[in-house]
Amino acid sequence: MTHVDVHQHLWTGSFVAALRARTEPPFLDGWTLHTAGEPPYEVSPADHDVAARAERAVADGLGLALISLSSPLGVEWLPADEARPLLDAYHQDAAELPRPFGAWAAAGVRDIDAKATADWLDLGFAGLQLPANALADAAGYARCAPLLDLLADRDLPLFVHPGPATGPDPRPGWWPAMVPYVQQMHAAWFAFRAFGRPRHPRLRVCFALLAGLAPLHGERFTARAGAEAHGEADPDVFVETSSYGPRAVDPVARALGTAAIVQGSDHPYADLPRTPGFGLGEAAADAFRTANPRRLLTGGA
């Protein structure tokens, strides 16, 4: 496997049309995105030009760039009759994206439909993405268990991505990305340890944006949880690097080991790092871009 980016976003024609067909959030008015938890956002059409994005991915040296549904839109939390047209549009086009693209499947978390998810996974999706706020407690893991069992049965990974942002208004435009997203990932990291791993012992999982830097709270966890906080590193748990640089990646790598880090960019909202090893050397760069993504996606050494 060549270099991999496990986290990109690309809205195809069918998905854009499905968003424009709606009149309640999430919806597109032209290229203005309206969501329930964030101010209107002007989407750049060029960011979602499939041919141009494929050329860019190749120029970046990627052999695989995994596209994911934009979970902050809130699609997964819609009632089934509203979510299905959007999920259908996303999967139909994502399954036909040109190389070097692949994609994560998506699933409704308000109304669980494991059969529909299985049908999409049959088309060759890399695994399943779920919003972090659906996996923040024991109830979330109980509700999503049919989806996670499906992944375990197929030996496919889970990708945990921030979900819709909620909170008081007014607030700066950058607030959702810096507060709710990070808080969700922090909660999801510890919820997986408390409720996810005991329930799904064979599941491989990757947390977006370095799990909100939750791994850096290991000392506090030890102080509060005592013996429960100790144990060997989980070889099937990964974090991806989107939007972070050496000042964050270096300590997370020290906390988890370099084998837990995979390259993710969140492109077009952020770009691949200029120094893919984040100052940790060529061996780390190769691990982050090639060896670790291979273990995440295939379970292979």
Side-chain angles (χ1 to χ4, degrees):
M1 184 183 293
T2 51
H3 297 167
V4 178
D5 182 351
V6 303
H7 182 187
Q8 293 199 6
H9 298 283
L10 176 60
W11 294 0
T12 58
S14 296
F15 187 65
V16 168
L19 283 172
R20 286 179 175 158
R22 294 178 53 82
T23 57
E24 296 291 331
F27 71 94
L28 271 175
D29 180 5
W31 283 102
T32 303
L33 174 66
H34 296 265
T35 62
E38 303 190 37
Y41 177 77
E42 294 300 321
V43 178
S44 169
D47 286 341
H48 301 284
D49 182 308
V50 174
R53 286 285 302 278
E55 291 180 3
R56 165 67 186 272
V58 171
D60 284 338
L62 297 175
L64 178 63
L66 291 179
I67 300 303
S68 64
L69 181 68
S70 298
S71 287
L73 295 179
V75 171
E76 298 97 328
W77 283 103
L78 293 172
D81 61 337
E82 293 187 48
R84 189 59 189 253
L86 292 160
L87 292 172
D88 284 349
Y90 167 75
H91 288 104
Q92 287 163 1
D93 282 2
E96 298 178 357
L97 286 170
R99 294 182 179 180
F101 292 121
W104 297 97
V109 295
R110 178 169 171 171
D111 301 307
I112 302 294
D113 187 344
K115 174 61 168 60
T117 303
D119 290 343
W120 290 125
L121 290 172
D122 286 341
L123 297 181
F125 285 81
L128 177 65
Q129 174 187 292
L130 291 177
N133 57 353
L135 297 171
D137 52 28
Y141 274 97
R143 184 176 59 251
C144 294
L147 301 175
L148 304 182
D149 288 340
L150 177 65
L151 291 177
D153 290 344
R154 296 185 177 214
D155 196 28
L156 293 174
L158 169 69
F159 180 42
V160 182
H161 187 288
T166 59
D169 287 316
R171 54 187 178 177
W174 47 260
W175 186 273
M178 292 304 301
V179 182
Y181 291 4
V182 174
Q183 290 173 335
Q184 288 182 35
M185 296 309 304
H186 185 115
W189 173 264
F190 286 105
F192 179 77
R193 177 160 186 155
F195 313 115
R197 178 53 84 213
R199 194 173 190 128
H200 306 280
R202 296 185 293 112
L203 185 66
R204 298 191 303 281
V205 57
C206 179
F207 292 86
L209 52 108
L210 296 178
L213 302 184
L216 299 186
H217 293 269
E219 291 164 322
R220 181 172 176 83
F221 186 38
T222 298
R224 300 293 181 172
E228 184 181 345
H230 294 285
E232 295 181 0
D234 191 328
D236 291 325
V237 171
F238 301 81
V239 296
E240 62 87 22
T241 59
S242 60
S243 76
Y244 285 104
R247 284 185 292 179
V249 174
D250 181 284
V252 171
R254 292 176 186 273
L256 298 179
T258 57
I261 313 293
V262 296
Q263 176 174 260
S265 70
D266 198 25
H267 189 69
Y269 307 110
D271 286 324
L272 289 172
R274 294 182 181 179
T275 54
F278 297 92
L280 299 175
E282 286 300 315
D286 182 67
F288 298 168
R289 294 183 295 177
T290 304
N292 297 347
R294 180 173 60 244
R295 290 192 300 108
L296 167 66
L297 298 175
T298 70

